[in-house]
Amino acid sequence: MYKEGDEVPDDCGSREEWTLLFWTSLAVIVPVIITLWCSAQRSKRKTHMKDFFRKSKHGWHYTDLFNKPTYCCVCSQHILQGAFCDCCGVCADEQCLRRADRILLCKEIMAPCGPGGGMEHRWVRGNVPLASYCAVCRQQCGTQPKLCDFRCVWCQNTVHDDCMASLPDADQCELGEFHSLIIPPHYLYQVNKLRRRQPEEYSQLASCCGSGWTPVLVLANTRSGNNMGEALLGEFRTVLNPVQVFDLSELNPSKALQLCTLLPPGSVRVLVCGGDGTVGWVLDAIDTMKLKGGVRGTPERSLWNRFSGTSSMPRWSKWTGGSVRCSHCDNNDQHIHCSFRSGKCRWLQKACTFGNQRPLTHMKRTAQVLSMNNYFSVGPDALMALNFHTHRRENASFFSSRIVNKTVYFLYGTKDCLVQECKDLDKRIELELDGERVALPSLEGIIVCNIGYWGGGCRLWEGMGDEPCPPTRLDDGLLEVVGVFGSFHCAQIQVKLANPVRLGQAHTVRLVLKSSKMPMQVDGEPWAQGPCTITITHKTQALMLYHSAEQTDDDDDESSASETESPTPHDSPRPPGPASARA
């Protein structure tokens, strides 16, 4: 014992310091070790799960929390953490996942007809959709807090456990409400047995699918927008045959469109989910395969967009997620029926680039050919798109929200308002419309439009001015050319506080970039371009599906103007002539 005033030995003080240091280090190191061990185990488990999902016949998706009461299809216990199949709807917790993969079958993309000559139901027990009703007694299903009731993965009909015995033996699956969009498994089974595989044979096989059968192929780019692609693909796999749904981040559209060669000519509709660049990618693939008037006929094209906030083509066709819907349509597939066909001109853009060969009098020319579907621009909007795409390639995970994407665009636009990298455009570019030189004012950007919308829903040509102007149409063989004074002017146009400068309409547009580099973009795909000559001419016409949804006030004004000033989509295009409506 030490009394007051006694000196404490140095070894005792150092012992206390070492003890405190030990426990402090232990308190820091142990949680770090546990965290690292958990991360390693989670990564290892994730690798095993990914490998298991890749080999499985189910379309498993792992989730940490189900958004509704869910029960395991194997042990019937309530689960919060587990996996579900987006094709057949089977759910299982982690312990029962491998057993569920063995004993529970998924949708068969190819199977023979049943004993009665039709298609049998494929029932899955439990986890029926909310507010579903029994096909026998017409009472609500799935109301009990347990694994109960059945759902057919093809026709989506639901039946109570007690009513299952009341179903007639001759009851066949008719594929439900969307039978005209689904490729039945028995059709692919019969196609696989064909030897010659001639178009006439496909048409004969299609007779068993009913009249008005127009199967749809869904091509989605999950890298577009704010990561809504995975959920969207899951919705389509639930309703359609999984062989009809393709993820363009994993499969090239040329390979996906090979399925068109197994279907009757002219009966296929292609549904493109993504941005303007994705739409052009698919249309170029169709041209490359020579489906138009070639191998098996032209598939009809339906453009629809749910996860890219700056796309313009889906806004024209009213397939965008923000557009007004039909009052009697409840989900995605029903909107495909509410549409009519319309022609859309596609344009060929040829850029002749001058290389830096010596001497200057013998400069080498290299030509690059691109397809333009919606718009071409040079100036501040292309500069913002170029900066955005450059940084998104470097850090793709950051650009996963529509709000974040628009905020980044706003920041780049604000920066350009201060720097003005594209000023004096009129001194660096010459513009010709149908061979006639156009005198340019002091602009910073030029936009060549094939459709009425630009910049995520802004109508450039009509604008908000009172001066008369020819209407815009996709099938008239004319391009609308406008100019902007800078990034701030673009922002004013977006909020309808200003109008662009109308430069004219033309069948052929020619731009000559005389010096320096300028940012350019075609359908949202930007690049930096040196001195060149760009010529935009008509290439072909693609058949589109125009959504006949209820219209907003702006759309009513546009439609009324179209009724009085323009013919129907199937009328002949306007005859060639000089550029018109010069500002």
Side-chain angles (χ1 to χ4, degrees), residues 372 376 378 431-434 438 440 443 445-451 460-461 472 478-484 500-511 536 579-583:
M372 187 193 85
F376 162 81
V378 51
L431 175 65
E432 292 182 5
L433 300 182
D434 287 339
V438 178
L440 297 176
L443 300 174
I446 296 176
I447 304 170
V448 182
C449 293
N450 182 37
I451 61 177
L460 283 181
W461 188 251
T472 60
L478 282 174
L479 294 168
E480 287 72 36
V481 186
V482 300
V484 294
V501 179
R502 295 195 187 101
L503 300 176
Q505 289 180 303
H507 295 84
T508 301
V509 177
R510 185 172 180 266
L511 296 97
I536 304 177
S580 58
R582 299 283 162 77

Side-chain angles (χ1 to χ4, degrees), residues 50 58 75 104 156 269 281 305 364 400 489:
K50 187 176 181 179
H58 285 271
C75 64
L104 300 176
Q156 310 303 322
R269 297 179 180 179
W281 189 20
N305 181 283
K364 182 180 179 181
S400 59
H489 188 205

